[in-house]
Amino acid sequence: MENNTAQNTTAQPSHEITIYAEPIFTIGKFQITNSLITSWFVVLFIFFIALWIRIKMSKIPGKVQHVFEVILEGSLSLCDQVTNNRSITNKIFPIVFPLFIFILINNWIGLLPFVSSIGFTSMEGGQATFIPLFRAGTADINTTLALSIVMVVGSNFFGILTLGIWKTFNKYVNLKAIGSIVTKVRKDPSVLIVAPITVFVGLLELIGEFAKIASLSFRLFGNVFAGEVLLASMAAIFVYILPGPFLFLEVFIGLIQALIFALLATVYFTIAAQDHSDHEEHNEHEREEQLAEVARA
């Protein structure tokens, strides 16, 4: 009798929230995790919704089309407030808005109670472990890291297309400032101090690109994962009423985090499209005129 009780206790599956996404199956050496499966479903969902809206679109909008048009107009206006240029907004918006929708759905899908309850039991080391089939994509650091890398690299690529590869390269490795030490040192000895500082600032911007990846990925992952752990902890204490207020809080946090990520991506694309060399040349021209006035005096 004691042996049967021990076997039933051992066979009872346990489920612990892990910081990493659990693998479901493998294709060759490539692991398919539950967060990746969820991300695939979110992409398919967005694709079919966009296709359905495109098919149903008409010159006289219905209620659903009108709602989406209001959302798009509001999103374009918000993007304009960041870029201050509608032409830049029209180039950035097709990238940033789908990113916002993808992150938002992933943030919210992990809050659905039935999502974490769908899964299977795996026997590892004689212990039955429950593995959920779905997990919010943004609750996996691999997903948020991939999104951050794509946004930072994409913003620099956008800068190359907008300004050219030379000006984009000189933001980080300012060869023009190095060359000015030789060409302008006689007229303006202060270039010996200004040029190294300019080069150092460019290197700091290069380091800042890597810092952007870290800040974007860890902020989104930390907030979403912590929210799911909080809800699971509250449900373990008292499953019926206690998680309610925290659930509404996490819905709001999921919206805010998706908005922050999308707005930061918009800021990065906007900064990449701005030519700072024109401003520097204008300041340099003013400084030369001041020096000339001092010499004439």
Side-chain angles (χ1 to χ4, degrees):
M1 186 69 179
E2 292 179 357
N3 292 334
N4 292 335
T5 305
Q7 289 176 0
N8 291 335
T9 304
T10 305
Q12 185 178 2
S14 62
H15 177 222
E16 297 180 358
I17 299 177
T18 58
I19 198 170
Y20 57 88
E22 295 92 342
I24 304 301
F25 61 92
T26 58
I27 300 177
K29 294 183 179 180
F30 185 72
Q31 283 189 342
I32 306 299
T33 62
N34 46 13
S35 64
L36 183 59
I37 292 175
T38 306
S39 298
W40 285 347
F41 274 108
V42 171
V43 171
L44 289 175
F45 175 77
I46 295 173
F47 172 77
F48 285 116
I49 289 296
L51 184 63
W52 178 75
I53 293 173
R54 180 65 184 88
I55 294 173
K56 296 293 183 178
M57 188 177 295
S58 61
K59 293 183 179 179
I60 302 175
K63 293 181 180 180
V64 176
Q65 182 179 336
H66 180 70
V67 170
F68 279 97
E69 286 181 357
V70 170
I71 293 174
L72 285 176
E73 286 297 328
S75 302
L76 281 169
S77 299
L78 183 61
C79 196
D80 283 337
Q81 294 179 23
V82 177
T83 62
N84 292 319
N85 190 330
R86 179 48 72 97
S87 63
I88 295 178
T89 298
N90 291 336
K91 296 176 182 177
I92 297 175
F93 190 77
I95 301 173
V96 175
F97 186 71
L99 173 71
F100 167 75
I101 298 297
F102 174 80
I103 294 175
L104 180 63
I105 296 176
N106 262 299
N107 290 350
W108 283 351
I109 201 170
L111 304 178
L112 299 176
F114 62 87
V115 170
S116 59
S117 62
I118 301 174
F120 59 92
T121 302
S122 174
M123 296 296 296
E124 294 183 0
Q127 172 110 23
T129 305
F130 177 78
I131 299 178
L133 189 60
F134 301 102
R135 172 179 174 149
T138 47
D140 180 12
I141 187 63
N142 296 298
T143 304
T144 59
L145 185 61
L147 291 174
S148 303
I149 292 174
V150 168
M151 285 300 103
V152 173
V153 173
S155 64
N156 284 277
F157 186 71
F158 181 72
I160 292 174
L161 294 177
T162 306
L163 304 177
I165 190 170
W166 175 250
K167 289 184 178 180
T168 304
F169 177 77
N170 269 274
K171 286 184 178 181
Y172 308 116
V173 184
N174 202 324
L175 299 178
K176 185 178 179 181
I178 298 173
S180 65
I181 298 176
V182 180
T183 58
K184 298 180 180 179
V185 67
R186 292 183 180 180
K187 296 181 180 179
D188 185 10
S190 65
V191 74
L192 293 173
I193 299 175
V194 175
I197 293 176
T198 305
V199 173
F200 181 70
V201 169
L203 294 177
L204 287 180
E205 288 193 10
L206 183 61
I207 296 173
E209 294 300 301
F210 293 97
K212 290 176 184 177
I213 296 174
S215 64
L216 282 174
S217 58
F218 284 105
R219 181 192 298 110
L220 181 58
F221 164 72
N223 281 278
V224 176
F225 180 74
E228 292 189 0
V229 173
L230 176 63
L231 289 176
S233 301
M234 294 301 103
I237 296 173
F238 193 69
V239 71
Y240 293 106
I241 300 174
L242 187 59
F246 296 97
L247 180 61
F248 287 108
L249 177 63
E250 290 305 319
V251 169
F252 178 71
I253 290 176
L255 173 62
I256 294 300
Q257 289 303 316
L259 185 61
I260 289 174
F261 197 102
L263 285 177
L264 285 176
T266 306
V267 170
Y268 297 156
F269 274 84
T270 304
I271 293 174
Q274 293 176 349
D275 189 2
H276 301 287
S277 61
D278 292 341
H279 181 66
E280 293 174 358
E281 290 176 358
H282 178 70
N283 292 339
E284 184 180 347
H285 181 67
E286 288 184 349
R287 187 168 62 252
E288 290 178 353
E289 289 181 349
Q290 291 174 357
L291 289 174
E293 289 178 359
V294 172
R296 285 195 297 268

